[in-house]
Amino acid sequence: MNLKLLLFIFPTVVSTDIIVELLKIAPADTPQCFREFRQLIKCVEPHEALINSALETVNEETVYNIGFMNKALQIGRNVSECLGHNFTCDGTKLVVYGLDYADYIGKKVYGDVFHCFINAQTFELLQICQRDTYEPGPTNQVEDVTVVNNITNTLFECVARKMYSTPSCTVDRIVSLYQAGKALIDAAFEFYRWNAKYPVEWEYDAGKYCDN
Ligand SMILES: *[C@@H]1O[C@H](CO)[C@@H](O)[C@H](O)[C@H]1NC(C)=O
Ligand SMILES: *[C@@H]1O[C@H](CO)[C@@H](O)[C@H](O)[C@H]1NC(C)=O
Ligand SMILES: *[C@@H]1O[C@H](CO)[C@@H](O)[C@H](O)[C@H]1NC(C)=O
């Protein structure tokens, strides 16, 4: 798996039925996990139709649609509030952790910095910079956090340099987008590890992105 895949893991939707997706993520294979899965369904069900239609619509273009994204993020917050943070099974913890990350990243990108994000055509910059900075290494390099951090830092420095020429991209906004980007990479890395059956802690900590 290369960094491009890693970056675009979130918009990659396999099916457009949220319940089917949740069954894959959180199999109810013990009595405790069955209880937690039922709680998950209970919190998702009231929003099922909206979520499924959002899953059908989402693509690389909708990332720039602040109305659509804020609506999606609000559904996520409502589901998260209903769920709480008291799960013990891997799959349900993954969902809670993913929602925490989505909320953090969403608040950053779809707030004050949005003009910079859209005017700088951030995704296009990411693709250009990835092409210019990425050197293919051994295939298992994304399993090593220091290598991932190194690739990420090189990539983000390139993007930040290019953003300076966009007037709405002040230093503060570029820093905010950088924090959102770091969080996205961290979350994607954890999901990748989970998917590859490595042990994952699922501890979300906004503090580590130097938030204040
Ligand atoms: C989310 O919850 C808020 C407050 O409880 C409510 O006003 C809003 O309609 C909900 N939004 C969705 C999309 O369910
Ligand atoms: C969280 O779950 C544990 C074990 O299932 C339970 O003992 C505890 O009371 C729960 N706490 C809350 C706040 O629900
Ligand atoms: C990070 O990447 C640069 C450029 O590809 C390389 O020179 C350096 O050795 C790498 N550092 C680590 C710790 O992997």
Side-chain angles (χ1 to χ4, degrees), residues 46-47 50 71-72 74-79 81:
H47 310 281
L50 269 178
K71 218 176 283 174
Q74 188 55 48
I75 296 172
R77 284 180 199 119
N78 287 19
V79 171
E81 199 170 304

Side-chain angles (χ1 to χ4, degrees), residues 133 135 146-147 150-151 154:
T133 63
E135 286 162 30
T146 62
V147 175
N150 196 0
I151 296 173
T154 313

Side-chain angles (χ1 to χ4, degrees), residues 109-168:
V109 174
Y110 299 99
D112 175 56
V113 304
F114 181 68
H115 289 291
C116 163
F117 177 72
I118 187 168
N119 291 343
Q121 294 286 294
T122 305
F123 271 104
E124 289 71 5
L125 289 187
L126 275 169
Q127 277 161 0
I128 292 165
C129 283
Q130 199 202 330
R131 197 190 56 213
D132 293 351
T133 63
Y134 182 65
E135 286 162 30
T139 52
N140 65 347
Q141 63 178 339
V142 295
E143 287 164 22
D144 183 340
V145 71
T146 62
V147 175
V148 170
N149 284 340
N150 196 0
I151 296 173
T152 308
N153 289 340
T154 313
L155 178 67
F156 285 4
E157 273 163 31
C158 166
V159 171
R161 258 197 319 276
K162 292 190 192 299
M163 278 183 163
Y164 280 120
S165 59
T166 301
S168 49

